[in-house]
Amino acid sequence: MQSNDVNLNKLTKRPFQYWFEDGIGEFVMGILYFLIGINFYIQATIRSPQIKAIISLVSVFIIGGGVIITRKIIGRIKEHIIYPRTGYVSYPKHPSKAKIVISIVSLVALAVFALFLRKSTSAFDWTPIVISIICGLLMLYQAIQTSILRLYIESILAIFLGIVIAFLDMGEIFSSGIFFISFGLVLIVGGGCAFVYYLKNAPPIAKEEF
C-alpha cells in the first residue's frame, strides 16, 4: 500500500517536474528579476528628481508587464525547443491548498513586516528580508510540487541573500536592487545550467515518431 502511495505521488508530481526541469522558467524570470534590480539600483543612485520619476514609472511597466511578457516568452521557447524534444504534457491549473496557504502566509508576512517597518527605529534594513521571504516561499512551493533539488537550493539562497543584504544596511531601494540583481543571477545560472543539461540529454524527436 505504501509503495502504491509513493508511485502515485511520483505520478502526480511528474507533470510539474516536466514543466520546471528544463530551467527555462527560472532563466527567464532571472532576467526579469535582474532588470527589476537594475531599475531599483538606478533609482537609488540617480539624484535628479525628474529622472527618478521617469525610472519609477518605467519600473511599474517592468514589474507589471514583465510577468505577462515572461510567461509568453517561456511558452514560445518551450513550443520551439522543448516540445519537439519531449512532447507536450498538460498539467492541472486548479490552485492547490499548498499554493493558497503559501500565498496567504506571504501576504501576512509582508503585512507584518510592513507594520514593523513603519514603527521600527532600528538602522537594520528589513526590506530585503521581506522580499527574500516572499521569493523564497514561491521557490519553496515549486520545489515541493516538483521535488527538484535545484529549486530547494534556490529558495534557501533567496532567504540567505536577503539576510546578508539586510545586514549591509544600504537603504531600502538600493538593497532591493542588490537583492533582485543577486537573486536574478542565481536563477539565470541555475536555470541556464539546467537548460544546457536538458539539451544534452533530450535530443529532438524524429518527425516519423509523431
Side-chain angles (χ1 to χ4, degrees):
M1 186 68 179
Q2 186 176 1
S3 176
N4 291 334
D5 291 339
V6 172
N7 292 334
L8 180 60
N9 187 45
K10 287 182 178 180
L11 289 173
T12 303
K13 289 185 175 183
R14 182 55 194 149
F16 295 97
Q17 291 172 343
Y18 173 80
W19 182 259
F20 287 101
E21 67 183 357
D22 53 53
I24 290 176
E26 293 153 72
F27 185 82
V28 176
M29 287 303 298
I31 294 174
L32 176 61
Y33 283 170
F34 185 83
L35 292 176
I36 292 173
I38 292 294
N39 184 277
F40 280 131
Y41 178 83
I42 293 173
Q43 287 186 56
T45 54
I46 288 181
R47 296 183 179 180
S48 171
Q50 292 80 9
I51 297 178
K52 276 191 175 183
I54 295 173
I55 297 297
S56 298
L57 184 62
V58 171
S59 68
V60 174
F61 289 99
I62 292 178
I63 297 173
V67 175
I68 299 173
I69 294 172
T70 51
R71 286 180 64 86
K72 291 184 178 296
I73 291 174
I74 292 169
R76 289 283 183 171
I77 294 174
K78 285 183 176 289
E79 182 180 345
H80 289 88
I81 299 177
I82 304 304
Y83 300 155
R85 285 174 161 78
T86 50
Y88 174 77
V89 177
S90 62
Y91 60 97
K93 297 182 179 180
H94 302 292
S96 66
K97 291 182 179 179
K99 188 174 183 178
I100 294 173
V101 169
I102 289 179
S103 299
I104 293 173
V105 170
S106 299
L107 291 173
V108 170
L110 180 60
V112 169
F113 276 111
L115 289 172
F116 182 82
L117 275 173
R118 291 175 64 89
K119 297 183 178 181
S120 176
T121 57
S122 172
F124 186 79
D125 187 4
W126 287 95
T127 306
I129 297 287
V130 177
I131 299 173
S132 67
I133 287 175
I134 294 172
C135 291
L137 285 174
L138 291 174
M139 295 305 300
L140 179 61
Y141 167 73
Q142 295 175 359
I144 292 172
Q145 288 291 96
T146 61
S147 294
I148 295 176
L149 178 60
R150 182 181 77 250
L151 300 180
Y152 281 106
I153 295 173
E154 290 168 354
S155 68
I156 294 171
L157 285 175
I159 297 176
F160 173 76
L161 285 171
I163 294 172
V164 171
I165 294 170
F167 276 104
L168 296 177
D169 190 24
M170 298 178 288
E172 293 180 7
I173 298 178
F174 192 87
S175 63
S176 298
I178 296 300
F179 172 79
F180 278 115
I181 290 172
S182 302
F183 188 54
L185 289 174
V186 168
L187 294 181
I188 289 171
V189 172
C193 291
F195 184 55
V196 170
Y197 179 82
Y198 172 85
L199 292 177
K200 288 182 177 179
N201 291 275
I205 301 173
K207 290 185 178 180
E208 52 268 19
E209 292 183 31
F210 287 101

